[in-house]
Amino acid sequence: MGSVDGADDERPLHRVWVEAFQLAVYPVTCGAYAAFLRAGDHDAPRDWQIFSVDPDRPVVGVSWFDCQAYCRWQETQGVSV
């Protein structure tokens, strides 16, 4: 994980072990995430303008904190996450 010559927040290059986790059947689309961004006070992911051009594609580049904020917002919308 990481990069030798990437952005400052991508350094240093290092090995990461990931424990087992669950993955949702339906990805969060750029369109759904855009609705979240419009409705709230949350900053867009770093490369949002590059990767959000298709509202039907899964959103990418979000942090764990972004995911937590999105899930909390979904719960306020009456959506179970």
Side-chain angles (χ1 to χ4, degrees):
M1 180 175 179
S3 174
V4 173
D5 56 0
D8 287 343
D9 64 351
E10 296 175 344
R11 295 183 201 154
L13 184 63
H14 59 286
R15 186 173 297 253
V16 174
W17 285 265
V18 178
E19 299 294 328
F21 61 93
Q22 294 182 349
L23 186 64
V25 174
Y26 302 103
V28 175
T29 64
C30 289
Y33 200 80
F36 158 67
L37 293 174
R38 284 191 302 272
D41 185 26
H42 195 81
D43 293 332
R46 179 176 57 192
D47 295 322
W48 178 249
Q49 296 302 323
I50 298 169
F51 295 114
S52 65
V53 295
D54 184 345
D56 294 325
R57 287 191 179 215
V59 69
V60 297
V62 294
S63 71
W64 183 87
F65 298 106
D66 296 331
C67 294
Q68 293 297 307
Y70 178 80
C71 288
R72 282 192 304 275
W73 175 75
Q74 282 288 67
E75 289 173 347
T76 68
Q77 303 303 300
V79 177
S80 177
V81 290

